Amino acid sequence: PDVVLKMDADLRAAQRELQKVQQTLAGLEADALLARAEPAGAFRLLARSFDDRDFLAVKQLAGQVLGQAGVIVLFGWKGPEKGQLLFGRSADVNLDMVALLRSVGKAVGGGGGGRPDLAQGGGMPSGRVDEALSLALGGILSALGISRAAERGG
C-alpha cells in the first residue's frame, strides 16, 4: 500500500507540474500571436483556425490573449467532423460577439451563444470553419468602419 500511495502522490505532483508548464506555454503562444495580430482600427485582431489541439486548449489560449487590452479574437476549431467557433473581445472593445456568432452561424449551418464579450458555438461541418472566420472578419471590419481593401493595405 505504501508503494501505491507514493506512486499516486508522484503522479499527482507530475500532473500539477504539467499543468504549470502548459499554462506557461499558452502564455508564450498568446504573446507570439499578439505580436502577429493584425491592426483593425484602434484594436488588434486575431483570426485563426486550429486543428492541432482540442477545443478546450483553444479556449484557454483565447483567455490568455483576451487578458490584453484592445484585442479581438476570432478562433475556429476543426474537429474530425464538426467545427466550433469562439469569438471574443477585450473589455475595452465595444462589439457584440454573440450577435456576430449568430449571424455567422446562420450562414454556415451552426449556432451558439454566450455573452457580448465572449461567444462560442458549433454544429457546422469542419470544412466550413474557415468560411465562418472569413465572414466574421468581414463583420468585424464592417462594424469598425474598415473596408477589406483598406485592411489589405489597398
Side-chain angles (χ1 to χ4, degrees), residues 115-129:
R115 303 182 314 263
D117 64 325
L118 186 67
Q120 73 178 57
M124 84 283 308
S126 288
R128 297 198 74 182
V129 167

mmCIF file with all atom_site columns, all heavy atoms in Angstrom, residues 115-129:
data_model
loop_
_atom_site.group_PDB
_atom_site.id
_atom_site.type_symbol
_atom_site.label_atom_id
_atom_site.label_alt_id
_atom_site.label_comp_id
_atom_site.label_asym_id
_atom_site.label_entity_id
_atom_site.label_seq_id
_atom_site.pdbx_PDB_ins_code
_atom_site.Cartn_x
_atom_site.Cartn_y
_atom_site.Cartn_z
_atom_site.occupancy
_atom_site.B_iso_or_equiv
_atom_site.pdbx_formal_charge
_atom_site.auth_seq_id
_atom_site.auth_comp_id
_atom_site.auth_asym_id
_atom_site.auth_atom_id
_atom_site.pdbx_PDB_model_num
ATOM 1   N N   . ARG A 1 115 ? -21.932 35.618 -24.145 1.00 0.00 ? 115 ARG A N   1
ATOM 2   C CA  . ARG A 1 115 ? -22.042 36.980 -23.626 1.00 0.00 ? 115 ARG A CA  1
ATOM 3   C C   . ARG A 1 115 ? -21.522 37.950 -24.692 1.00 0.00 ? 115 ARG A C   1
ATOM 4   O O   . ARG A 1 115 ? -20.820 37.529 -25.607 1.00 0.00 ? 115 ARG A O   1
ATOM 5   C CB  . ARG A 1 115 ? -21.184 37.122 -22.368 1.00 0.00 ? 115 ARG A CB  1
ATOM 6   C CG  . ARG A 1 115 ? -21.520 36.147 -21.261 1.00 0.00 ? 115 ARG A CG  1
ATOM 7   C CD  . ARG A 1 115 ? -20.638 36.389 -20.030 1.00 0.00 ? 115 ARG A CD  1
ATOM 8   N NE  . ARG A 1 115 ? -19.232 36.561 -20.336 1.00 0.00 ? 115 ARG A NE  1
ATOM 9   C CZ  . ARG A 1 115 ? -18.302 35.595 -20.273 1.00 0.00 ? 115 ARG A CZ  1
ATOM 10  N NH1 . ARG A 1 115 ? -18.651 34.366 -19.931 1.00 0.00 ? 115 ARG A NH1 1
ATOM 11  N NH2 . ARG A 1 115 ? -17.041 35.839 -20.560 1.00 0.00 ? 115 ARG A NH2 1
ATOM 12  N N   . PRO A 1 116 ? -21.820 39.232 -24.566 1.00 0.00 ? 116 PRO A N   1
ATOM 13  C CA  . PRO A 1 116 ? -21.330 40.181 -25.572 1.00 0.00 ? 116 PRO A CA  1
ATOM 14  C C   . PRO A 1 116 ? -19.805 40.164 -25.742 1.00 0.00 ? 116 PRO A C   1
ATOM 15  O O   . PRO A 1 116 ? -19.305 40.437 -26.822 1.00 0.00 ? 116 PRO A O   1
ATOM 16  C CB  . PRO A 1 116 ? -21.802 41.535 -25.039 1.00 0.00 ? 116 PRO A CB  1
ATOM 17  C CG  . PRO A 1 116 ? -23.022 41.208 -24.234 1.00 0.00 ? 116 PRO A CG  1
ATOM 18  C CD  . PRO A 1 116 ? -22.731 39.868 -23.604 1.00 0.00 ? 116 PRO A CD  1
ATOM 19  N N   . ASP A 1 117 ? -19.077 39.801 -24.685 1.00 0.00 ? 117 ASP A N   1
ATOM 20  C CA  . ASP A 1 117 ? -17.618 39.800 -24.784 1.00 0.00 ? 117 ASP A CA  1
ATOM 21  C C   . ASP A 1 117 ? -17.023 38.455 -25.186 1.00 0.00 ? 117 ASP A C   1
ATOM 22  O O   . ASP A 1 117 ? -15.870 38.390 -25.613 1.00 0.00 ? 117 ASP A O   1
ATOM 23  C CB  . ASP A 1 117 ? -16.987 40.248 -23.465 1.00 0.00 ? 117 ASP A CB  1
ATOM 24  C CG  . ASP A 1 117 ? -17.282 39.291 -22.321 1.00 0.00 ? 117 ASP A CG  1
ATOM 25  O OD1 . ASP A 1 117 ? -18.390 38.721 -22.281 1.00 0.00 ? 117 ASP A OD1 1
ATOM 26  O OD2 . ASP A 1 117 ? -16.407 39.100 -21.465 1.00 0.00 ? 117 ASP A OD2 1
ATOM 27  N N   . LEU A 1 118 ? -17.792 37.366 -25.084 1.00 0.00 ? 118 LEU A N   1
ATOM 28  C CA  . LEU A 1 118 ? -17.264 36.045 -25.411 1.00 0.00 ? 118 LEU A CA  1
ATOM 29  C C   . LEU A 1 118 ? -18.413 35.126 -25.818 1.00 0.00 ? 118 LEU A C   1
ATOM 30  O O   . LEU A 1 118 ? -19.323 34.878 -25.036 1.00 0.00 ? 118 LEU A O   1
ATOM 31  C CB  . LEU A 1 118 ? -16.528 35.441 -24.214 1.00 0.00 ? 118 LEU A CB  1
ATOM 32  C CG  . LEU A 1 118 ? -15.817 34.127 -24.468 1.00 0.00 ? 118 LEU A CG  1
ATOM 33  C CD1 . LEU A 1 118 ? -14.643 34.331 -25.421 1.00 0.00 ? 118 LEU A CD1 1
ATOM 34  C CD2 . LEU A 1 118 ? -15.311 33.538 -23.158 1.00 0.00 ? 118 LEU A CD2 1
ATOM 35  N N   . ALA A 1 119 ? -18.339 34.639 -27.050 1.00 0.00 ? 119 ALA A N   1
ATOM 36  C CA  . ALA A 1 119 ? -19.394 33.759 -27.564 1.00 0.00 ? 119 ALA A CA  1
ATOM 37  C C   . ALA A 1 119 ? -18.747 32.535 -28.195 1.00 0.00 ? 119 ALA A C   1
ATOM 38  O O   . ALA A 1 119 ? -17.644 32.609 -28.732 1.00 0.00 ? 119 ALA A O   1
ATOM 39  C CB  . ALA A 1 119 ? -20.236 34.496 -28.603 1.00 0.00 ? 119 ALA A CB  1
ATOM 40  N N   . GLN A 1 120 ? -19.448 31.413 -28.096 1.00 0.00 ? 120 GLN A N   1
ATOM 41  C CA  . GLN A 1 120 ? -18.950 30.206 -28.747 1.00 0.00 ? 120 GLN A CA  1
ATOM 42  C C   . GLN A 1 120 ? -20.111 29.418 -29.304 1.00 0.00 ? 120 GLN A C   1
ATOM 43  O O   . GLN A 1 120 ? -21.238 29.520 -28.835 1.00 0.00 ? 120 GLN A O   1
ATOM 44  C CB  . GLN A 1 120 ? -18.113 29.360 -27.794 1.00 0.00 ? 120 GLN A CB  1
ATOM 45  C CG  . GLN A 1 120 ? -18.903 28.632 -26.730 1.00 0.00 ? 120 GLN A CG  1
ATOM 46  C CD  . GLN A 1 120 ? -18.008 27.774 -25.855 1.00 0.00 ? 120 GLN A CD  1
ATOM 47  O OE1 . GLN A 1 120 ? -17.077 28.287 -25.246 1.00 0.00 ? 120 GLN A OE1 1
ATOM 48  N NE2 . GLN A 1 120 ? -18.300 26.504 -25.791 1.00 0.00 ? 120 GLN A NE2 1
ATOM 49  N N   . GLY A 1 121 ? -19.805 28.663 -30.338 1.00 0.00 ? 121 GLY A N   1
ATOM 50  C CA  . GLY A 1 121 ? -20.836 27.866 -30.966 1.00 0.00 ? 121 GLY A CA  1
ATOM 51  C C   . GLY A 1 121 ? -20.229 26.822 -31.863 1.00 0.00 ? 121 GLY A C   1
ATOM 52  O O   . GLY A 1 121 ? -19.015 26.743 -32.030 1.00 0.00 ? 121 GLY A O   1
ATOM 53  N N   . GLY A 1 122 ? -21.087 26.027 -32.451 1.00 0.00 ? 122 GLY A N   1
ATOM 54  C CA  . GLY A 1 122 ? -20.607 24.968 -33.320 1.00 0.00 ? 122 GLY A CA  1
ATOM 55  C C   . GLY A 1 122 ? -21.739 24.374 -34.108 1.00 0.00 ? 122 GLY A C   1
ATOM 56  O O   . GLY A 1 122 ? -22.783 24.988 -34.285 1.00 0.00 ? 122 GLY A O   1
ATOM 57  N N   . GLY A 1 123 ? -21.512 23.161 -34.567 1.00 0.00 ? 123 GLY A N   1
ATOM 58  C CA  . GLY A 1 123 ? -22.520 22.447 -35.322 1.00 0.00 ? 123 GLY A CA  1
ATOM 59  C C   . GLY A 1 123 ? -22.282 22.470 -36.818 1.00 0.00 ? 123 GLY A C   1
ATOM 60  O O   . GLY A 1 123 ? -22.868 21.681 -37.542 1.00 0.00 ? 123 GLY A O   1
ATOM 61  N N   . MET A 1 124 ? -21.427 23.373 -37.286 1.00 0.00 ? 124 MET A N   1
ATOM 62  C CA  . MET A 1 124 ? -21.170 23.416 -38.724 1.00 0.00 ? 124 MET A CA  1
ATOM 63  C C   . MET A 1 124 ? -20.133 22.357 -39.078 1.00 0.00 ? 124 MET A C   1
ATOM 64  O O   . MET A 1 124 ? -19.349 21.944 -38.233 1.00 0.00 ? 124 MET A O   1
ATOM 65  C CB  . MET A 1 124 ? -20.702 24.809 -39.159 1.00 0.00 ? 124 MET A CB  1
ATOM 66  C CG  . MET A 1 124 ? -19.218 25.123 -39.006 1.00 0.00 ? 124 MET A CG  1
ATOM 67  S SD  . MET A 1 124 ? -18.626 25.491 -37.334 1.00 0.00 ? 124 MET A SD  1
ATOM 68  C CE  . MET A 1 124 ? -19.713 26.733 -36.795 1.00 0.00 ? 124 MET A CE  1
ATOM 69  N N   . PRO A 1 125 ? -20.124 21.905 -40.335 1.00 0.00 ? 125 PRO A N   1
ATOM 70  C CA  . PRO A 1 125 ? -19.077 20.962 -40.747 1.00 0.00 ? 125 PRO A CA  1
ATOM 71  C C   . PRO A 1 125 ? -17.699 21.610 -40.598 1.00 0.00 ? 125 PRO A C   1
ATOM 72  O O   . PRO A 1 125 ? -17.547 22.818 -40.813 1.00 0.00 ? 125 PRO A O   1
ATOM 73  C CB  . PRO A 1 125 ? -19.394 20.702 -42.223 1.00 0.00 ? 125 PRO A CB  1
ATOM 74  C CG  . PRO A 1 125 ? -20.817 21.104 -42.413 1.00 0.00 ? 125 PRO A CG  1
ATOM 75  C CD  . PRO A 1 125 ? -21.068 22.188 -41.407 1.00 0.00 ? 125 PRO A CD  1
ATOM 76  N N   . SER A 1 126 ? -16.700 20.834 -40.248 1.00 0.00 ? 126 SER A N   1
ATOM 77  C CA  . SER A 1 126 ? -15.344 21.369 -40.078 1.00 0.00 ? 126 SER A CA  1
ATOM 78  C C   . SER A 1 126 ? -14.856 22.106 -41.310 1.00 0.00 ? 126 SER A C   1
ATOM 79  O O   . SER A 1 126 ? -14.123 23.090 -41.201 1.00 0.00 ? 126 SER A O   1
ATOM 80  C CB  . SER A 1 126 ? -14.361 20.246 -39.741 1.00 0.00 ? 126 SER A CB  1
ATOM 81  O OG  . SER A 1 126 ? -14.572 19.793 -38.437 1.00 0.00 ? 126 SER A OG  1
ATOM 82  N N   . GLY A 1 127 ? -15.290 21.648 -42.471 1.00 0.00 ? 127 GLY A N   1
ATOM 83  C CA  . GLY A 1 127 ? -14.868 22.274 -43.713 1.00 0.00 ? 127 GLY A CA  1
ATOM 84  C C   . GLY A 1 127 ? -15.377 23.693 -43.903 1.00 0.00 ? 127 GLY A C   1
ATOM 85  O O   . GLY A 1 127 ? -14.921 24.396 -44.811 1.00 0.00 ? 127 GLY A O   1
ATOM 86  N N   . ARG A 1 128 ? -16.273 24.134 -43.052 1.00 0.00 ? 128 ARG A N   1
ATOM 87  C CA  . ARG A 1 128 ? -16.818 25.499 -43.179 1.00 0.00 ? 128 ARG A CA  1
ATOM 88  C C   . ARG A 1 128 ? -16.263 26.459 -42.126 1.00 0.00 ? 128 ARG A C   1
ATOM 89  O O   . ARG A 1 128 ? -16.671 27.617 -42.079 1.00 0.00 ? 128 ARG A O   1
ATOM 90  C CB  . ARG A 1 128 ? -18.350 25.452 -43.105 1.00 0.00 ? 128 ARG A CB  1
ATOM 91  C CG  . ARG A 1 128 ? -18.919 24.634 -44.291 1.00 0.00 ? 128 ARG A CG  1
ATOM 92  C CD  . ARG A 1 128 ? -20.351 24.873 -44.554 1.00 0.00 ? 128 ARG A CD  1
ATOM 93  N NE  . ARG A 1 128 ? -20.571 26.181 -45.186 1.00 0.00 ? 128 ARG A NE  1
ATOM 94  C CZ  . ARG A 1 128 ? -21.779 26.656 -45.481 1.00 0.00 ? 128 ARG A CZ  1
ATOM 95  N NH1 . ARG A 1 128 ? -22.849 25.949 -45.203 1.00 0.00 ? 128 ARG A NH1 1
ATOM 96  N NH2 . ARG A 1 128 ? -21.916 27.836 -46.044 1.00 0.00 ? 128 ARG A NH2 1
ATOM 97  N N   . VAL A 1 129 ? -15.340 26.006 -41.317 1.00 0.00 ? 129 VAL A N   1
ATOM 98  C CA  . VAL A 1 129 ? -14.780 26.866 -40.269 1.00 0.00 ? 129 VAL A CA  1
ATOM 99  C C   . VAL A 1 129 ? -14.055 28.069 -40.872 1.00 0.00 ? 129 VAL A C   1
ATOM 100 O O   . VAL A 1 129 ? -14.242 29.204 -40.428 1.00 0.00 ? 129 VAL A O   1
ATOM 101 C CB  . VAL A 1 129 ? -13.855 26.059 -39.328 1.00 0.00 ? 129 VAL A CB  1
ATOM 102 C CG1 . VAL A 1 129 ? -13.029 26.974 -38.440 1.00 0.00 ? 129 VAL A CG1 1
ATOM 103 C CG2 . VAL A 1 129 ? -14.676 25.099 -38.475 1.00 0.00 ? 129 VAL A CG2 1
#
